[in-house]
């Protein structure tokens, strides 16, 4: 819509689109409002819309992902959660253990990562494990501990939701719902989480293309949940020295294709402790809006992912290095 378009003009166009069978998504930007119309373009002549009062231009979005594309929404999206923000000049670091194991474990780690500058506390309570015999997470009890630690240390929290039946529990206890790599194309989960008004951390599937990641985001957004943070967490390649291959190039590629913030997870992306810091530095230099990093005070005894968890002192050293890189590219931590 034109900058001077009035509310009446905007609703008239939206109503007309709806009458033509389109689903309308309204984005109110700083300077102008954009109406995203999802539907079958063959049913209308777009010139009819171009001449309506207040319309600036009608653009056809040729990408298969619409609401997540930068063509539709040129302005960068900023997802704000408590003190944290993803998508602005602030680089936001999510840190914490892979799994919540006990109150003592979580509170010890939370204190360390908070002091080092992390804004969001992570901790899995429902764990997607390759083996059914591995630790599966503390479930509800783990979420209660995460909530308590978030309150104690004034941090926002994130934890994974693995299935629809867990959604309510997650909504009540955490600030950001994580959809894990293994569930990136769980369409029924995406649809249900898409009905919420709650930020989502959507992790790239281990064999998913960037387009598939954006299509997964589209499921969330088409349901009305626009607060999506993308996460590059490594993909499976022929290389097996590392657990996964962290696709750093996915960061600038996604930035160009989409307005959604993107962060990197160098912990799952490499699977090896001493590879985490170099890849975290690289991700920030490449333009990531944030990082997700696993930290454990006693990784040898961790119930999951100890081998890729940083010691607290390694994490705080990394944060110092990241601050310098952020400064060099006009951002801050
Ligand atoms: C996690 O972050 O705890 C996790 C299991 O990650 P991913 O889904 O990327 O494997
Ligand atoms: Mn993990």
């Amino acid at each position: 819509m034109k900058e001077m378009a009035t509310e009446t003009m905007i609703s008239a166009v939206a109503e007309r689109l709806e009458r033509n069978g389109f689903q309308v998504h309204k984005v109110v930007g700083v300077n102008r409002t954009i109406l995203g119309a999802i539907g079958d373009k063959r049913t209308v002549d777009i010139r009819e819309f171009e001449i309506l009062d207040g319309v600036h231009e009608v653009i056809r979005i040729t990408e298969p992902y619409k609401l997540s594309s930068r063509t539709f929404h040129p302005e960068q999206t900023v997802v704000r959660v408590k003190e944290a923000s993803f998508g602005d000049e602030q680089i936001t670091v999510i840190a914490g253990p892979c799994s919540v194991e006990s109150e003592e474990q979580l509170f010890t780690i939370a204190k360390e990562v908070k002091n080092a500058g992390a804004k969001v506390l992570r901790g899995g309570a429902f764990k997607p494990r390759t083996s059914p015999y591995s630790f599966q997470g503390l479930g509800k009890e783990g979420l209660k501990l995460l909530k308590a630690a978030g309150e104690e240390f004034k941090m926002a929290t994130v934890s994974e939701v693995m299935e629809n039946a867990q959604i309510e529990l997650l909504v009540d206890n955490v600030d950001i719902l994580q959809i894990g790599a293994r569930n990136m194309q769980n369409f029924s989960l995406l649809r249900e989480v898409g009905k919420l008004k709650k930020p989502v951390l959507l992790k790239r599937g281990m064999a998913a293309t960037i387009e598939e990641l954006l299509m997964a985001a589209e499921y969330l957004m088409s349901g009305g949940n626009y607060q999506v943070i993308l996460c590059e967490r490594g993909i499976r390649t022929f290389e097996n020295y590392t657990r996964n291959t962290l696709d750093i190039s996915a960061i600038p590629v996604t930035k160009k294709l989409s307005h959604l913030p993107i962060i990197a997870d160098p912990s799952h992306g490499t699977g090896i402790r001493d590879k985490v810091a170099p890849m975290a530095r690289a991700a920030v230099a490449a333009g990531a809006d944030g990082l997700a990093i696993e930290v454990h005070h006693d990784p040898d005894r961790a119930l999951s992912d100890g081998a890729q968890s940083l010691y607290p002192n390694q994490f705080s050293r990394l944060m110092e290095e990241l601050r310098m890189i952020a400064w060099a590219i006009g951002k801050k931590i």
Side-chain angles (χ1 to χ4, degrees), residues 98 122 127 243 268 294 304-305 308:
C98 177
R122 62 152 289 146
K127 296 302 300 176
R243 182 179 179 186
H268 294 90
E294 289 184 343
S304 58
D305 287 348
Q308 68 192 32

Side-chain angles (χ1 to χ4, degrees), residues 97-99 122-124 126-128 160 178-183 201 203-204 206 231 233-234 243-244 265 268 292 294 305 308:
C98 177
S99 306
R122 62 152 289 146
F126 295 104
K127 296 302 300 176
E160 177 163 353
Q178 176 171 320
I179 295 187
R182 290 156 193 80
N183 265 321
L201 179 62
K203 300 189 85 174
R204 180 179 181 183
M206 57 184 88
C231 180
R233 49 78 73 202
R243 182 179 179 186
N244 291 292
D265 172 352
H268 294 90
E294 289 184 343
D305 287 348
Q308 68 192 32

Side-chain angles (χ1 to χ4, degrees), residues 4-130:
M4 45 62 67
T6 62
E7 269 313 310
T8 322
M9 292 174 190
I10 295 169
S11 14
V13 176
E15 277 159 30
R16 177 125 178 206
L17 283 165
E18 275 163 358
R19 273 206 307 280
N20 280 274
F22 287 88
Q23 192 195 4
V24 179
H25 295 262
K26 182 172 158 185
V27 177
V28 183
V30 182
N31 296 318
R32 60 173 87 239
T33 294
I34 300 172
L35 294 173
I38 310 273
D40 188 350
K41 63 178 185 291
R42 288 170 305 187
T43 60
V44 294
D45 181 342
I46 65 170
R47 286 170 306 178
E48 285 173 23
F49 287 89
E50 273 163 349
I51 57 169
L52 294 180
D53 273 352
V55 172
H56 171 66
E57 65 179 331
V58 181
I59 301 171
R60 233 175 231 167
I61 300 172
T62 49
E63 294 94 348
Y65 44 89
K66 313 286 178 192
L67 302 173
S68 56
S69 89
R70 218 182 251 283
T71 318
F72 161 58
H73 189 294
E75 242 172 70
Q76 174 67 39
T77 285
V78 180
V79 177
R80 292 177 206 283
V81 195
K82 294 197 166 148
E83 310 261 292
S85 58
F86 297 87
D88 54 7
E89 74 289 347
Q90 191 75 32
I91 290 165
T92 297
V93 179
I94 300 173
C98 177
S99 306
V100 178
E101 299 170 10
S102 68
E103 181 175 338
E104 195 204 344
Q105 173 249 18
L106 183 64
F107 278 63
T108 305
I109 299 167
K111 187 172 181 203
E112 296 275 7
V113 298
K114 166 79 185 190
N115 285 342
K119 292 272 181 349
V120 183
L121 180 64
R122 62 152 289 146
F126 295 104
K127 296 302 300 176
R129 303 306 300 278
T130 301

